[in-house]
Amino acid sequence: MATDTHRAIEAAWRIEAPRLIAGLTRLVRDVGVAEELAQDALVAALEQWPAEGVPRNPGAWLMTTAKRRAIDQIRRNETFKRKVDQVGRELEKFTPDVGAMVAEDDGIGDDLLRLVFVACHPVLSTEARTALTLRLLGGLTTDEIARAFLVPEPTVAQRIVRAKKTLANAQVPFEVPQGDELAARLSSVLEVIYLIFNEGYSATTGDEWMRPALCEEALRLGRILARLAPREPEVHGLVALMEIQASRSAARTGPGGEPILLGDQDRARWDQLLIRRGLAALERAEALIDGKPGPYVLQAAITACHARARRFEDTDWKRIAWLYEGLAEAMPSPVVELNRAVALSMAFGPATGLALLDQLMAFPAMRNYHLLPGARGDFLVKLGRHAEARAEFERAASLTRNERERTLLLNRAATCDQPLRTDDP
């Protein structure tokens, strides 16, 4: 029973933490203090729920507990004395039914969206903005964020601590920017939202291949942004990208939660409504482009190629390779080059892709990136070099932190008899 309770607490924290921190930030106007209060509520849950049982509304329980901690802290801390009356009046306005409160979506007034823009404030570096938002809204640990950024964990931890201190010292207002300031800060916000989506789409750690709640949250934030900035092609490009990728979610796992890669998916299970929404968003984005398309529009165009193919064999890999060439120009990255290598191998043969992958080994950040040996293993299998392929799959399995992915790669190492169709390039 205690184990079940702790699992329930972990699940509730993963789901509720972003909303909890956002709501508390609106009260205390300090993201660092808000996160501490949220963690205090988590500790209280760990102490009380095993004995008293899991409450009917875990999110409301956590918020109510955190609000009480906020009142106590404000009363104790002399620097907040002048705010006691103001914050106290605001607290009295809230009802314990936090479930209804966090479900409310009032556009610009949305707490989660405000929190995104606070975490992406220009007083912070781009790296700090993305790390902080992933921590606060994505509920990711510093280790998970470090793997997403391909940087050491202590570096991410320092970024988060310094970011919270900088925001507090600058007294950044808890609001959505307007006018020119909104346009200037969109790029960083888009990056953050897509990183959150990616963590939900392919979890970096844990026992599950996907975290659907993160995908849903990123999609919700993306749709809100599209309403806020309807003339921004990259916003619609990001929404299109996420809608089309999310359309495959039901087909990406088997009955036991095991991963099913793109080439093996039952396309009848793809969500046609999400595909139509994604293609419509891409059409809006392309109509707004003045000049060369940006990285999100290009990535959405790549996913659209997959969505339009009735079978895996019908995929227009030459067009995908061409789009990746444009993406590499718009957003140079060894990860983009890896995906371009996959497209080239599908369009022109594995030897072409392998030649590009071998060049990527020179990048330090790619040496421990599990998808690189995974792709090399696939190409080597297709070339009949099975012993080398086995070694690459085993190396990839040793580098991934996701248990489902590790099992998949070890199975590939054990068989090495069929080409691996790389998932979602």
Side-chain angles (χ1 to χ4, degrees):
M1 289 296 294
T3 301
D4 292 341
T5 301
H6 282 96
R7 287 175 179 165
I9 294 171
E10 182 180 357
W13 177 254
R14 281 285 190 184
I15 295 169
E16 300 294 344
R19 296 181 178 91
L20 188 62
I21 294 170
L24 290 168
T25 302
R26 175 148 59 97
L27 299 181
V28 300
R29 308 289 170 171
D30 186 313
V31 293
V33 173
E35 186 182 17
E36 291 173 3
L37 292 168
Q39 290 173 347
D40 287 345
L42 173 63
V43 171
L46 289 168
E47 293 173 346
Q48 298 179 37
W49 291 9
E52 301 174 5
V54 179
R56 293 179 59 186
N57 190 333
W61 191 99
L62 290 167
M63 179 63 87
T64 300
T65 301
K67 283 162 53 180
R68 290 170 180 162
R69 297 288 198 281
I71 295 172
D72 292 342
Q73 181 165 327
I74 290 170
R75 287 172 176 165
R76 288 195 305 267
N77 194 332
E78 292 184 356
T79 62
F80 286 114
K81 280 185 177 179
R82 287 176 294 180
K83 299 182 180 179
V84 170
D85 292 340
Q86 175 189 349
V87 175
R89 286 193 297 271
E90 291 184 15
L91 289 171
E92 290 173 359
K93 296 178 183 177
F94 294 146
T95 70
D97 186 7
V98 181
M101 181 186 73
V102 299
E104 181 181 356
D105 182 0
D106 59 353
I108 292 178
D110 185 85
D111 280 347
L112 282 168
L113 187 61
R114 288 172 175 168
L115 185 58
V116 169
F117 275 102
V118 168
C120 294
H121 197 277
V123 296
L124 304 176
S125 68
T126 299
E127 293 82 2
R129 297 173 204 171
T130 51
L132 182 63
T133 305
L134 281 170
R135 175 63 180 266
L136 298 180
L137 282 105
L140 308 188
T141 65
T142 53
D143 174 62
E144 290 169 333
I145 298 169
R147 290 183 66 80
F149 283 123
L150 302 179
V151 297
E153 183 178 354
T155 301
V156 172
Q158 291 172 5
R159 287 175 185 171
I160 292 171
V161 171
R162 291 171 183 168
K164 289 189 286 191
K165 288 181 179 178
T166 300
L167 290 174
N169 293 337
Q171 297 182 331
V172 172
F174 189 60
E175 63 186 17
V176 175
Q178 303 294 321
D180 293 340
E181 187 181 6
L182 174 62
R185 286 164 62 181
L186 267 178
S187 177
S188 180
V189 171
L190 295 177
E191 180 182 9
V192 167
I193 291 175
Y194 192 44
L195 281 169
I196 294 172
F197 180 87
N198 272 336
E199 180 58 30
Y201 194 69
S202 297
T204 56
T205 63
D207 298 329
E208 299 302 325
W209 178 239
M210 298 181 64
R211 294 179 184 173
L214 285 179
C215 292
E216 293 167 5
E217 197 61 63
L219 263 173
R220 192 180 73 86
L221 290 171
R223 291 164 182 163
I224 293 171
L225 270 180
R227 296 201 301 269
L228 279 172
R231 303 296 301 171
E232 294 289 337
E234 281 290 83
V235 174
H236 295 292
L238 174 60
V239 172
L241 173 59
M242 294 190 298
E243 298 274 18
I244 296 174
Q245 286 185 318
S247 73
R248 309 172 195 157
S249 295
R252 293 187 75 239
T253 55
E258 67 277 8
I260 300 177
L261 301 184
L262 183 62
D264 299 316
Q265 290 172 15
D266 178 1
R267 300 195 174 204
R269 299 189 66 198
W270 287 7
D271 190 322
Q272 294 301 313
L273 174 60
L274 289 179
I275 289 176
R276 288 195 295 271
R277 292 176 66 163
L279 293 177
L282 177 58
E283 186 177 343
R284 286 192 294 271
E286 290 174 337
L288 292 168
I289 292 173
D290 182 14
K292 292 184 178 180
Y296 292 107
V297 174
L298 288 167
Q299 290 176 86
I302 291 168
T303 62
C305 290
H306 294 296
R308 292 181 177 122
R310 297 179 64 88
R311 302 176 304 161
F312 183 77
E313 294 76 12
D314 299 331
T315 307
D316 189 349
W317 288 106
K318 291 183 179 179
R319 175 168 172 76
I320 290 175
W322 176 76
L323 288 168
Y324 268 121
E325 185 175 346
L327 183 60
E329 180 181 344
M331 186 178 68
S333 161
V335 175
V336 172
E337 291 296 317
L338 187 154
N339 287 320
R340 186 165 75 91
V342 172
L344 288 171
S345 78
M346 297 300 297
F348 304 107
T352 304
L354 186 61
L356 179 54
L357 288 189
D358 289 342
Q359 297 176 26
L360 298 180
M361 297 296 291
F363 289 87
M366 299 297 286
R367 291 172 187 166
N368 293 317
Y369 189 52
H370 70 283
L371 294 181
L372 178 55
R376 292 190 83 251
D378 180 36
F379 297 171
L380 290 167
V381 166
K382 293 175 181 177
L383 291 169
R385 295 157 62 178
H386 296 284
E388 295 173 76
R390 178 188 296 270
E392 292 292 343
F393 286 130
E394 289 175 346
R395 173 167 169 72
S398 72
L399 292 174
T400 184
R401 299 286 295 276
N402 185 280
E403 291 299 325
R404 297 286 187 180
E405 194 168 29
R406 180 178 291 111
T407 300
L408 174 70
L409 290 164
L410 289 175
N411 287 340
R412 283 294 292 145
T415 58
C416 282
D417 57 355
Q418 295 179 2
L420 175 65
R421 291 163 173 173
T422 303
D423 190 21
D424 303 325

